[in-house]
Amino acid sequence: MSDLLSRIKAVSREVGFEVIGVTSVEPMLRDLAALSGWCSSGYAADMSYMTRQPELNASPGRLVHWARSIITLGVNYYTAAPEFRHENRYGRVARYAWGLDYHDVVKAKLGELSDRIRSLMDDAGFQARGFVDAVPLLERAAAERAGLGFFGKNTNLLRPSQGSWFFLAELFVNIDLPATGEPRQVSCGTCSRCMPACPTNAFAGPYLLDSRLCISYLTIENKGPIPRELREAIGEWLFGCDVCQEVCPFNRFAEDTNWRHLRAEHGKGQRIDLIELLGISTDARFREWCKGTPLTRPKRRGLLRNAAVAAANIGCEAAVPVLSMLIVDDPEPLIRGHALWALARLELKRASKFADAALRNDNDSFVREEAEAILSGCFARQESKK
Ligand code: SF4
Ligand code: SF4
């Protein structure tokens, strides 16, 4: 079997997977306990795919009942880029989302890998099923058990030689392969750089992330409003956040990806023109604008919500006309409410007039709450000036 594993590793590399490991389908009991505690503390926010059935996420054998082994794979997505500058106009995108959607790119390669492994086997009964992220499985825990890396205090899986800029994928197979995990040699040690660097203080402790405070959650998975008290700390981030990876010393070893479709030139890149984005007036135009990229995930309503917040945070005064238009015209209360907040940060006097009108005319309770917050804030400031 180890000879077969060597050949599988060789074809995996030929297909493009730089990092390969194998683990069993046995339950991940240590990680189940950690996941259950994390969920019961509320740190999973409203990500129901994490909280619904923690024991399923930790039991690969229940996910694919015929599987005997999991081939875990790592895909480097790092691309070096000039330092981000918002220039009072651009919002920032997390590195993993610069190119085309990795789900599509990696899934296609998993299919190719499956075919290559089948051709290595004489047994016509070979079965394989590939997953990339969209599965109720503790992917990082499975990859750690297969020896792909170790958990950092920022909760990412780190490879001592490469850092954390990589995606994970799995191929469940119906053959017994020798597990590759070895006792861990490396850890964060005394480093804790990522924790104080987090703009929203999202770490409840080492190895413990409160998703409710994390910019990645707030700007991508979160379907509702961004809590008012967190909006300012989000800063220039439009989609995701890389801060706790950027400060990690293991990431200084990162090298550019060989996966060309994950590079910025194939997707929307590192920075987005916020005026252009805020001007996208329909869902159809939005889908066309970001087709094939991860930016589709929060949909138009979510990404324009984020764009309004980022525009205010970077002092994008050129966004005032489009924000004003959105407050009056946009069918999505989520966008109207965040546009109101953003306008108040950029031009309070104008925003107060819109807030006053919204209180009288807008049927949505969230928009009216935002309007009230602006007006009560204005009055508080006026009072304090007396
Ligand atoms: S991704 Fe950003 S917001 Fe989330 S924990 Fe890391 S530094 Fe904090
Ligand atoms: S910044 Fe330091 S503490 Fe945080 S994950 Fe990297 S090595 Fe670990």
Side-chain angles (χ1 to χ4, degrees), residues 150 152-154 158 188 191-195 244 247-250:
F150 67 93
K153 289 175 187 167
N154 63 7
L158 302 178
C188 292
C191 177
S192 59
R193 237 184 252 186
C194 49
M195 296 170 61
C244 58
V247 300
C248 180
F250 286 100

Side-chain angles (χ1 to χ4, degrees), residues 125-246:
F126 172 71
Q127 277 183 283
R129 187 162 171 206
F131 296 103
V132 188
D133 186 34
V135 60
L137 172 72
L138 293 176
E139 282 190 301
R140 279 182 264 193
E144 190 215 21
R145 196 166 71 177
L148 261 60
F150 67 93
F151 277 105
K153 289 175 187 167
N154 63 7
T155 73
N156 283 302
L157 199 68
L158 302 178
R159 289 182 58 72
S161 56
Q162 285 179 319
S164 59
W165 306 111
F166 59 92
F167 299 125
L168 292 173
E170 302 81 33
L171 199 63
F172 283 61
V173 293
N174 66 339
I175 45 178
D176 280 312
L177 291 169
T180 53
E182 285 172 13
R184 197 172 74 182
Q185 308 280 334
V186 188
S187 72
C188 292
T190 56
C191 177
S192 59
R193 237 184 252 186
C194 49
M195 296 170 61
C198 175
T200 48
N201 287 321
F203 292 107
Y207 314 102
L208 206 51
L209 176 66
D210 185 346
S211 303
R212 296 169 298 187
L213 302 177
C214 174
I215 296 169
S216 287
Y217 166 77
L218 291 169
T219 58
I220 303 174
E221 297 301 322
N222 169 32
K223 307 274 182 292
I226 296 173
R228 219 174 288 140
E229 65 277 13
L230 294 174
R231 290 177 196 163
E232 202 174 326
I234 286 175
E236 64 207 15
W237 291 103
L238 171 72
F239 183 94
C241 166
D242 283 335
V243 173
C244 58
Q245 296 196 81
E246 280 176 344

Side-chain angles (χ1 to χ4, degrees), residues 112-127:
E112 192 181 329
L113 177 60
S114 171
D115 291 343
R116 293 285 303 273
I117 296 174
R118 181 174 286 108
S119 67
L120 291 177
M121 314 269 305
D122 298 332
D123 181 1
F126 172 71
Q127 277 183 283

